[in-house]
Amino acid sequence: MSTNKRIKFAASVLVLSIALSACGTKNNAPDTPTATSTPSPTATEPVPSGSAAPEESTQEMGERIVSEYRAMTLASKPANELYAGLKQAIGQDSLEPAQADELIRALETFYKKDLPKAEKSFEDAKVQQALSKLDWPLTEEAIAGLKDDDVRQLVENTIAGGYKIDTAEGYYFPIVDYGKLTAFGDKVSVAMKAYLELMAKESDAPSAKDAGLVISWDELATRVLASESYIVTFPDTPERKQAEDYYVRYLSFYFIGLNNTPIFDYETFAVLPELKSEYERMATSHAGTIAGQYAKEFLDILAESKDQVFIKGKNGEQTDVPAVKKFRDKLQDEAVSKLPTAKKQ
């Protein structure tokens, strides 16, 4: 190649190099993502639970969360997974209170089916023996100290599933721990929050065990009024039936008593003085309630019977006072009918 040609070739190469360099400066972003780059999601990638697709409204996202969680409760998953799933689902900002209510209802429906199986798992003799050696109420430290791995894992998983371990007549069994569910009170509706608090009173401190009252008469009166108030305030909730069951139960304990906690003295068959005072407080302080009206009616009957709930028969046996018996017989059947009628859905 001649000298002139070599000079021209070198000049051409230089011009091309400058052009390519200028092009690279103009297009700094690489054509392919580096290891630290985040690729855009494709149309086929699923949207994670709790995050909305661009076209999905807040309402629709909440409905999807409820639908997904309800499907979980129907998929035979263990209770501990479902309780963990509830905490995750109910914590979503897009969830409305009514939708959070549906999550609680889905879990309650699951518990109704799962609780008998959970109870069955505690029937094993080694489970009962291991739990009988612990102090009550149970603590995390006591559970962690269980020597049998299978028993410890059973108890831990049961509690992680939203249950708690209770005992009666020397037997140990799981119950739904509504006290835990009250932690979601700021997520659910006012009606659901009131229902959870009502149920938590019983799961945290059962009213009766071994055919006897294990709370004070004053606390029992509080529960009578709380259950009545819930039904009167929220007559149309799906939880009404459960509240009614507790209401009738509490009324029965309050005005009729239990085998091991009677409302009368076994020697004289006269109403216990503390109970008569309790009825007087109920009739005076809560005259506008159904319970208060029942207390007034019962006091009128006791005034006629001279405070006798029963009388002694010819051989000293317990014999009915007709007016008292009539009051007791009608109490459970009539109490619910006096409550506000729910609207037809």
Side-chain angles (χ1 to χ4, degrees):
M1 182 181 295
S2 67
T3 302
N4 288 337
K5 286 183 178 181
R6 281 198 300 269
I7 293 173
K8 288 181 179 180
F9 178 75
S12 298
V13 171
L14 177 62
V15 171
L16 180 60
S17 297
I18 294 172
L20 288 175
S21 174
C23 183
T25 302
K26 184 178 180 181
N27 298 289
N28 283 327
D31 292 336
T32 57
T34 64
T36 58
S37 300
T38 303
S40 301
T42 64
T44 58
E45 290 177 332
V47 178
S49 179
S51 60
E55 72 281 0
E56 189 176 36
S57 68
T58 300
Q59 173 70 22
E60 291 170 335
M61 178 161 46
E63 291 174 354
R64 175 170 55 78
I65 292 171
V66 172
S67 178
E68 289 174 354
Y69 184 71
R70 189 177 288 119
M72 282 181 63
T73 65
L74 298 173
S76 300
K77 293 183 179 294
N80 57 344
E81 287 188 22
L82 292 178
Y83 192 80
L86 172 73
K87 290 195 291 185
Q88 181 179 6
I90 209 167
Q92 301 297 327
D93 292 336
S94 59
L95 214 63
E96 296 178 359
Q99 294 168 334
D101 288 358
E102 290 304 314
L103 295 179
I104 298 293
R105 290 180 183 127
L107 184 62
E108 264 201 312
T109 299
F110 166 79
Y111 281 147
K112 289 176 183 177
K113 295 180 180 179
D114 185 69
L115 185 54
K117 294 185 289 184
E119 291 171 342
K120 187 76 174 175
S121 67
F122 275 72
E123 292 179 358
D124 192 303
K126 74 174 183 178
V127 175
Q128 293 293 313
Q129 290 172 2
L131 294 176
S132 70
K133 297 176 182 178
L134 302 181
D135 293 330
W136 289 78
L138 282 180
T139 63
E140 291 183 3
E141 291 77 13
I143 295 170
L146 286 167
K147 295 180 179 180
D148 189 299
D149 291 340
D150 292 337
V151 175
R152 185 177 62 256
Q153 186 173 7
L154 169 66
V155 174
E156 289 176 343
N157 287 343
T158 300
I159 292 174
Y163 292 114
K164 66 187 300 184
I165 314 304
D166 202 357
T167 179
E169 299 181 349
Y171 186 76
Y172 305 91
F173 52 91
I175 62 172
V176 177
D177 189 352
Y178 281 93
K180 279 185 178 179
L181 293 177
T182 60
F184 307 119
D186 61 335
K187 297 291 186 180
V188 298
S189 68
V190 174
M192 180 59 78
K193 180 180 180 181
Y195 168 73
L196 294 177
E197 289 174 349
L198 183 69
M199 298 296 290
K201 281 185 174 292
E202 190 66 26
S203 67
D204 290 347
S207 54
K209 289 185 180 183
D210 304 339
L213 194 68
V214 293
I215 57 176
S216 68
W217 290 110
D218 184 62
E219 172 61 20
L220 178 59
T222 298
R223 295 190 188 189
V224 169
L225 293 168
S227 54
E228 180 179 324
S229 176
Y230 171 82
I231 299 167
V232 170
T233 307
F234 309 106
D236 303 312
T237 67
E239 291 69 45
R240 173 182 174 139
K241 180 60 172 63
Q242 184 76 357
E244 282 182 357
D245 291 344
Y246 275 102
Y247 178 57
V248 172
R249 181 185 185 192
Y250 294 148
L251 280 176
S252 177
F253 292 170
Y254 192 62
F255 289 111
I256 299 175
L258 297 88
N259 289 341
N260 293 332
T261 311
I263 66 169
F264 57 90
D265 183 278
Y266 269 129
E267 293 296 325
T268 65
F269 299 138
V271 67
L272 296 171
E274 61 265 36
L275 258 296
K276 186 174 181 180
S277 297
E278 180 64 55
Y279 298 147
E280 289 170 345
R281 282 194 296 272
M282 178 69 80
T284 302
S285 301
H286 305 283
T289 67
I290 298 170
Q293 293 163 14
Y294 275 131
K296 175 64 168 61
E297 181 181 350
F298 195 38
L299 286 168
D300 291 343
I301 293 170
L302 290 173
E304 289 291 326
S305 71
K306 297 181 180 179
D307 288 345
Q308 292 301 126
V309 177
F310 295 97
I311 56 175
K312 289 186 178 183
K314 292 180 180 180
N315 300 316
E317 73 275 10
Q318 180 177 309
T319 304
D320 284 322
V321 173
V324 173
K325 183 178 186 305
K326 183 178 179 181
F327 175 82
R328 293 156 65 102
D329 289 346
K330 76 170 186 177
L331 184 64
Q332 294 184 340
D333 294 333
E334 186 183 83
V336 171
S337 67
K338 285 179 173 289
L339 294 166
T341 302
K343 298 176 183 177
K344 293 184 178 180
Q345 299 297 319

